[in-house]
Amino acid sequence: MTATATATVAVVPPPRRAAYLNLGIATVGMLVSFWAWGLISPLGPTYKDELGLSSFQQSFLVAVPVLVGALGRIPVGALTDKLGARVMLPVLSFLTVLPVLALSIFDSYGMLLLAGFFLGIGGTFFASGVPYVNAWFPPERRGTAIGIFGLGTGGTAIGAFYTSRLIDWTGDRDFQFYLVAGVLAAFGVIAALLVRDAPGRKVPDELFGSRFREALKQRVTLPLALLYSVSFGGFVAFGVYLPTYLKEVYDLSQDSASTRAAGFTIVAVLCRVIGGYLSDRVGPAKVLTVTYTLLGLMAVWQAFTPALTPWATVTFLVMAGMVGAGSGAVFALVAIVTPKEKVGTVTGLVGAAGGLGGFVPPLVMGAVYSGTGSYAIGLMLLSDVAFAALVYTAVKLLGRDRAAG
């Protein structure tokens, strides 16, 4: 007698319609919040001329919201674990309205730094949105879901592209601040009415300190934080500093530099979705290996300041694709290896590292340019960091890589 073995194939049920609705709400919310978060960056050259700022002072001004948005992700992620996104998303939106309106009345360097400090609240939306989205999707689909959610980071592209144009069209710099504040308030109302936490959400009993320590004890937290500081840090750094770089190096007008910076952001945002999708299919570590390799090579090439058309343009677009895909791959790993009830806290830590990764390079680039009149050293440092991330990924993660699905 022969026994016939029947193989059972696990079928992943499709997420419910509510999951896609909440994913859409979260994505729109981050789009608006990141638009607000990036308001100062496109105006950096203008503030530099009007206030007589040095290159370092300008870099610090545009970097302050990045720093606060980075560090603020740690408590926001933990609060999301405790209170749920249903509370946190509308609260973050309403709180961001205030510093946006403050930009319309502040006109000194110190006051702009203060506004930028609180504008960082907009950058913390990410730490609340990731656990919110993760909870609605099974592990096998979280890479793609988080990639779609990552489209919201394109809000910085809206600011980069439209800031100077809105000033030209309306003749009023403050119009955009009123517009963004109104959109934030509207989203806050919509979020308060429609956002729902996923069924079965577990509320942690531990205090923040205990959950913070537990998140740090997760084997992947610190490695992923470092990797994300390269990927998303690169995205943020170029997003806030690329207009200045293009204006200084290639003598572009403010409009032209902002348009190209917006193109960089759009490519990065779209590739974040691709990075998440590929991570679900072939494994996030494989995706990261490719992204860090190309990012390092492109940074070396750009250090030699090739002609803007076509070489530098192609270089920056490839770099945009790599930091975007890499960002999606890192959070695909977070979604796979982190217990659901700890995702918010771990997301806060990893997301904070990404924001810090975006805070340091503009300061370095500004200081290097002020001291040498060239950005070559800064770009070579970027290549060094990318290649270090590549080595770590290849040695420590590639052998254990697994796709969820």
Side-chain angles (χ1 to χ4, degrees), residues 352-364:
L356 288 174
F359 172 76
V360 175
L363 298 181
V364 172

Side-chain angles (χ1 to χ4, degrees), residues 212-228 334 337-338 342 345-350 353:
F212 183 80
R213 289 190 295 272
E214 286 298 318
L216 285 176
K217 290 179 181 178
Q218 298 291 312
R219 292 176 57 189
V220 297
T221 299
L222 291 180
L224 291 181
L226 293 173
L227 295 179
Y228 197 61
V334 172
V337 301
T338 306
K342 292 183 173 64
T345 307
V346 173
T347 294
L349 288 167
V350 175

Side-chain angles (χ1 to χ4, degrees), residues 120-334:
I121 295 172
T124 67
F125 191 97
F126 181 83
S128 191
V130 167
Y132 169 51
V133 171
N134 272 343
W136 278 103
F137 289 83
E140 297 82 359
R141 300 180 186 272
R142 287 177 186 164
T144 303
I146 293 300
I148 294 172
F149 172 64
L151 289 172
T153 58
T156 56
I158 298 176
F161 185 80
Y162 282 108
T163 293
S164 60
R165 287 169 173 79
L166 283 173
I167 295 174
D168 291 340
W169 295 340
T170 64
D172 182 4
R173 182 190 300 174
D174 295 338
F175 173 81
Q176 65 186 312
F177 303 139
Y178 302 140
L179 174 63
V180 175
V183 174
L184 279 167
F187 175 79
V189 173
I190 293 172
L193 295 174
L194 297 181
V195 166
R196 295 292 182 269
D197 290 310
R201 185 179 77 87
K202 296 181 181 179
V203 180
D205 297 325
E206 303 93 340
L207 296 175
F208 170 71
S210 299
R211 285 183 285 132
F212 183 80
R213 289 190 295 272
E214 286 298 318
L216 285 176
K217 290 179 181 178
Q218 298 291 312
R219 292 176 57 189
V220 297
T221 299
L222 291 180
L224 291 181
L226 293 173
L227 295 179
Y228 197 61
S229 70
V230 179
S231 297
F232 186 72
F235 167 76
V236 173
F238 278 114
V240 301
Y241 204 74
L242 192 55
T244 299
Y245 175 89
L246 293 173
K247 188 176 180 182
E248 297 282 358
V249 175
Y250 292 104
D251 197 28
L252 297 182
S253 67
Q254 184 62 42
D255 281 353
S256 182
S258 297
T259 299
R260 289 175 181 270
F264 178 96
T265 302
I266 291 170
V267 171
V269 167
L270 293 177
C271 286
R272 184 165 186 147
V273 181
I274 297 173
Y277 175 82
L278 290 176
S279 296
D280 285 343
R281 299 303 182 271
V282 304
K286 294 183 180 67
V287 175
L288 289 173
T289 299
V290 174
T291 61
Y292 292 138
T293 299
L294 291 178
L295 177 61
L297 292 174
M298 292 298 101
V300 171
W301 171 245
Q302 186 57 38
F304 292 95
T305 317
L308 180 62
T309 305
W311 303 116
T313 300
V314 172
T315 298
F316 279 118
L317 291 178
V318 172
M319 293 172 75
M322 295 307 99
V323 297
S327 298
V330 171
F331 267 97
L333 270 175
V334 172

